Amino acid sequence: MRKQSTAILTILSSLMLTACNATVSAPINETNAQAAKRITQQNIIVDGHIDVPYRLQNQWVDVTKSTEDGDFDYPRAVEGGLNAPFMSIYVPASLDNSPESTALAHRLIDYVEAIVGRAPDKFALAYSVADVEQNFKDNKISLPMGMENGSPVQGSLDTLRMFHERGIRYITLAHSQSNHISDSSYDLRRQWKGLSPFGKEMVLEMNKLGIIVDISHVSDAAFYQAVDISIAPVIASHSSLRTFTPGFERNMNDDMIKALAKNQGVIMINFGSSFVSPVARSWRDNRTQKADELAKVFGKDSQEVKDFEEKYNTESPYPFATLEIVLDHIDHVVQLVGIDYVGIGSDYDGVGDSLPINLKDVSDFPNLVEGLLERGYSENDIKKILNENVLRVWRDVEAVAKAN
C-alpha cells in the first residue's frame, strides 16, 4: 500500500513540475551553443554532490568571490548556470566511531552557513524544494546539504534528527569503509552483508524525517536492501555506470539501475574521469597495483614508492575522460530505463584534477547541455536531467515524511 501511495505521489509531482516548468520558446536560428547558454541561465540546475565544505576544511577560501583553485566559486557558478549545488558534508571513514566524526560534520555545516552569511545577496540555504524554487526566483544560489558518510549519526536516531534540523537532506549511508550503518563498495569485509540492523532502522527514520537515502558508495547488497526497505525513492548522488568500468563496484550495474528506476529513484552521474572512462580507470588501477607491490617491500611512504609514482605520471600522462563519454553514461541510463531517472552529481571539488576535458569546473555546464542538444535531447528532456528528476524525488520524499 505504501509503495502504491508513493507511485501516486510521483505522478502528481511530475504533473506539478510540468506545469511549473513550461518550455520557453527558443529564438529562431539559435545555435546549439547559444541554446545551451540560454537553457543553463533560464533553469534550475541541481548538482547532487559538490565538495566545497571539505575543501574549506583543508584550506579556507572565500568562494563568494573568484578563487584561483578548486572547481567552484560564485562567479563560475553564475557563468555555468549552477544554482542548486548540494554541499557535501563529507566525513572521512578514518573518523568512523569517533566523536570527531560528528564534530567535523557540524563544523562543515557551519562553513555552509558561513558562505550564506558572507553573501546573503548571492547564496541562500535550502531545506526544501520550495526553498530551491524561491531562491531561484530571488536570483540566489541555493545551498542544500547532503551528508557523505553516515558515520556522524553514531547509531543514534536523536542525532539523525538533529542533523535533519541543521539542514541535512540526504545521507550517503557509508563511504570508503563499512560503518555502523552499511557495508561499503570499497570494503571487502562486508560485515553486515548489506545494511546493519541499525541501518535498516535508520532508513525508515530517514523516510519519516524527509531525508533522502543516498546509495552511492554502498555495497550491492546494501543497495538492494535500502531500495526494498525505503518507502520513498532513493538516489545515487554521485555515481556512474559499471558497464563502462567493469569490476568497479563503486559504480552501478544495469540491474541496479533498473531497480532504482522501479523505486522511482535517480542516478546522478559522477564526472570524475576514473568513474566514467575505462582507460582512466585502468590507468589508476595499474598505478595503484604497482605502488602497492613496492609498498609491501619498501613501505607505503618510502622514496621508492614516491619515485615510481612520479615516473609513472611523467611517462604515462593521465588519460582524462572527455565530455563525450560523460554523455555516453547519460545515454545509457536513458536507453535502459528512460529519461526520468538520471541527473547530475559531478563531484566537483571531490575528484581532484581528474575532471574530464570540457567539464573542468562549474562554469562548464553549458558544454554538457550543448552536448545533449547535439545528441538530439529536447529542451524538456534536458530540464529533467538538470533538475526535474531529482526535485521530483525530493518532493516525493517530503510527501512521504508529511504522511508519516
Side-chain angles (χ1 to χ4, degrees), residues 69-88:
D69 299 319
D71 309 324
F72 175 96
D73 56 39
Y74 180 76
R76 285 182 285 177
V78 170
E79 182 181 352
L82 176 62
N83 41 45
F86 268 90
M87 295 286 100
S88 173

Side-chain angles (χ1 to χ4, degrees), residues 147-386:
M147 180 183 289
E148 184 179 24
N149 188 2
S151 169
V153 173
Q154 301 285 5
S156 167
L157 295 182
D158 287 339
T159 303
L160 176 68
R161 296 181 192 109
M162 175 181 60
F163 279 122
H164 175 261
E165 290 174 1
R166 291 216 64 190
I168 295 299
R169 289 301 178 266
Y170 78 66
I171 295 179
T172 316
L173 301 180
H175 191 248
S176 59
Q177 294 179 20
S178 172
N179 61 16
H180 71 285
I181 299 166
S182 173
D183 290 336
S184 165
S185 61
Y186 288 114
D187 194 332
L188 298 179
R189 291 175 297 174
R190 307 298 158 97
Q191 62 171 322
W192 304 115
K193 294 180 174 57
L195 299 178
S196 71
F198 174 77
K200 295 173 182 178
E201 183 182 8
M202 178 171 146
V203 165
L204 290 174
E205 186 64 23
M206 290 170 69
N207 291 162
K208 293 178 183 178
L209 291 171
I211 301 175
I212 304 167
V213 176
D214 176 23
I215 51 74
S216 287
H217 279 285
V218 304
S219 69
D220 288 9
F223 162 78
Y224 283 109
Q225 290 171 19
V227 167
D228 184 60
I229 292 169
S230 180
I231 301 168
V234 309
I235 63 169
S237 67
H238 59 305
S239 295
S240 299
L241 310 187
R242 207 178 299 174
T243 190
F244 295 93
T245 56
F248 185 41
E249 191 176 339
R250 171 66 178 80
N251 279 344
M252 298 180 69
N253 65 31
D254 286 2
D255 287 340
M256 296 168 76
I257 295 166
K258 291 176 182 177
L260 185 71
K262 187 177 180 180
N263 167 265
Q264 298 300 315
V266 173
I267 177 171
M268 308 179 78
I269 301 299
N270 189 314
F271 291 173
S273 289
S274 63
F275 284 81
V276 295
S277 165
V279 177
R281 183 83 245 152
S282 296
W283 183 95
R284 186 176 295 277
D285 288 346
N286 188 47
R287 187 183 72 168
T288 299
Q289 180 183 347
K290 292 182 178 179
D292 287 347
E293 291 172 357
L294 286 171
K296 290 178 182 178
V297 178
F298 300 104
K300 182 179 179 181
D301 299 321
S302 66
Q303 189 62 44
E304 286 80 2
V305 171
K306 293 177 183 177
D307 289 344
F308 160 74
E309 290 181 342
E310 182 177 345
K311 182 179 179 182
Y312 186 93
N313 294 346
T314 301
E315 294 182 353
S316 305
Y318 187 67
F320 290 101
T322 64
L323 167 62
E324 294 304 312
I325 197 166
V326 174
L327 295 171
D328 289 344
H329 281 250
I330 294 173
D331 281 350
H332 187 79
V333 177
V334 173
Q335 291 161 10
L336 188 68
V337 294
I339 192 65
D340 297 317
Y341 309 103
V342 64
I344 297 166
S346 66
D347 214 349
Y348 280 130
D349 275 328
V351 288
D353 60 355
S354 74
L355 289 158
I357 298 166
N358 293 326
L359 285 176
K360 291 298 185 183
D361 62 39
V362 297
S363 69
D364 285 333
F365 279 107
N367 294 338
L368 181 75
V369 172
E370 183 179 358
L372 291 169
L373 289 167
E374 290 176 350
R375 293 198 177 196
Y377 285 85
S378 70
E379 188 166 333
N380 284 337
D381 286 343
I382 291 169
K383 287 196 291 186
K384 287 187 175 185
I385 296 169
L386 296 182

Side-chain angles (χ1 to χ4, degrees), residues 119-154:
D121 57 323
K122 300 175 180 177
F123 294 98
L125 296 170
Y127 303 118
S128 65
V129 175
D131 286 345
V132 171
E133 293 174 338
Q134 185 59 53
N135 293 338
F136 179 66
K137 291 177 183 177
D138 294 339
N139 200 31
K140 294 180 181 181
I141 294 176
S142 291
L143 297 182
M145 290 180 284
M147 180 183 289
E148 184 179 24
N149 188 2
S151 169
V153 173
Q154 301 285 5

